[in-house]
Amino acid sequence: MSDTANEVMRLEALRKSYNVGLANEIEVLHGIDLSIGRTDFAALIGPSGSGKSTLLNLIGLLDKPSSGELYLLGQATHGMDDAGRTALRGNSIGFVFQFHHLIQAFTAIENVLMPLMLAQGKPDKSAVQRARDLLAEVGLEKLADSKPNQLSGGQQQRVAIARALVTEPALLLADEPTGNLDTQTASEVFELFRRFNRERGCAVLLVTHDPRLSATCDRTIDLVDGRIVSDVVHGKAKLA
Ligand code: ADP
Ligand code: MG
């Protein structure tokens, strides 16, 4: 994993504080070193409040670290301006949240097309076809023209996954993507991540509280109180 060409993402001594300069300033990530390989399928676990969402938001360029460096596809992000960060995020990252954040006024396929529309305006025919193909891959081809409120929770999360993948990201980040679903639906949605990792070669880093699901990942990274306390690949300890 130290081979840079095989890395999708690398963190070096990453720190994050909130409320900087105020009486309630708090450092929540205390120097994280982490590398994610281009085909990794990794779970990020740890107690509530340990900094998992903070870490994912930093990796996804939704927030900025207080210090340290984040490399995405070999590019250092520290000195980048907002336009550069937005472009890199759009090209390389897909994000799935616990709550899908679909736009209720839009149909399923319009929601899937959203990231492309933000990046390049009106989608062309090939973009629309890609969105249709993705909806088919998540089992929703017949529901492409449905509004979110006509879909079940599991179906809505499938739309959100298709939306995250429409830009063909190198890294898919998911923050408790099954936390809001029943066990059976959660397993099905999880299997989708698995399939996209296998078939599209997209790296996946997902936060889950479900030990049953994290056990099926290739790698488990355990974050406690803002520090990685274990990083296990195929049952073998990688870092302590
Ligand atoms: P997790 O996702 O593991 O539950 P979070 O990353 O959400 O953890 O939170 C880590 C710590 O940072 C918690 O103590 C939380 O209260 C704090 N925190 C998160 N977001 C903010 C914020 N915007 N401002 C201040 N503190 C925050
Ligand atoms: Mg969280």
Side-chain angles (χ1 to χ4, degrees):
M1 210 84 68
S2 58
D3 179 359
T4 312
N6 287 324
E7 283 174 352
V8 65
M9 188 292 298
R10 181 155 45 98
L11 306 176
E12 288 177 357
L14 202 80
R15 291 177 180 269
K16 177 66 183 176
S17 298
Y18 289 114
N19 307 321
V20 175
L22 303 176
N24 58 350
E25 177 168 339
I26 177 176
E27 186 178 87
V28 299
L29 295 177
H30 311 294
I32 304 281
D33 297 303
L34 180 67
S35 165
I36 300 287
R38 289 197 182 232
T39 59
D40 277 11
F41 189 85
L44 178 61
I45 64 168
S48 182
S50 63
K52 304 179 298 297
S53 295
T54 299
L55 185 58
L56 236 62
N57 290 342
L58 292 174
I59 297 172
L61 301 178
L62 298 173
D63 198 1
K64 289 184 179 170
S66 306
S67 66
E69 186 56 281
L70 158 63
Y71 297 89
L72 270 179
L73 295 170
Q75 290 186 61
T77 60
H78 181 70
M80 275 188 179
D81 61 13
D82 284 347
R85 288 165 61 85
T86 302
L88 183 59
R89 183 194 312 123
N91 289 330
S92 55
I93 302 281
F95 222 120
V96 178
F97 301 91
Q98 178 172 5
F99 300 99
H100 51 72
H101 302 298
L102 297 178
I103 299 173
Q104 296 296 330
F106 287 1
T107 64
I109 191 158
E110 287 167 347
N111 271 285
V112 174
L113 283 164
M114 205 59 207
L116 291 177
M117 291 166 70
L118 289 173
Q120 62 201 31
K122 190 172 158 40
D124 57 20
K125 264 194 184 155
S126 72
V128 174
Q129 190 55 48
R130 186 155 9 124
R132 279 208 187 281
D133 291 346
L134 273 168
L135 278 174
E137 280 190 62
V138 300
L140 295 178
E141 67 243 85
K142 297 213 174 81
L143 297 170
D145 299 317
S146 304
K147 297 273 176 67
N149 65 10
Q150 297 171 296
L151 303 174
S152 70
Q155 288 169 338
Q156 293 180 30
Q157 196 57 303
R158 284 162 187 265
V159 175
I161 294 169
R163 178 184 57 185
L165 288 163
V166 78
T167 55
E168 302 184 319
L171 174 60
L172 184 62
L173 300 170
D175 197 353
E176 302 192 43
T178 61
N180 198 31
L181 304 174
D182 66 72
T183 316
Q184 172 66 25
T185 311
S187 296
E188 289 167 11
V189 165
F190 200 78
E191 186 47 41
L192 277 180
F193 285 108
R194 244 306 174 210
R195 184 144 60 79
F196 283 116
N197 169 253
R198 212 166 40 225
E199 293 176 3
R200 295 183 173 242
C202 117
V204 175
L205 176 62
L206 56 84
V207 176
T208 179
H209 278 300
D210 187 338
R212 220 172 33 91
L213 296 180
S214 60
T216 71
C217 293
D218 297 335
R219 177 175 175 189
T220 302
I221 301 156
D222 193 0
L223 187 70
V224 177
D225 292 339
R227 290 188 174 84
I228 293 175
V229 297
S230 84
D231 185 350
V232 177
V233 182
H234 292 300
K236 246 170 75 184
K238 189 171 162 288
L239 291 170

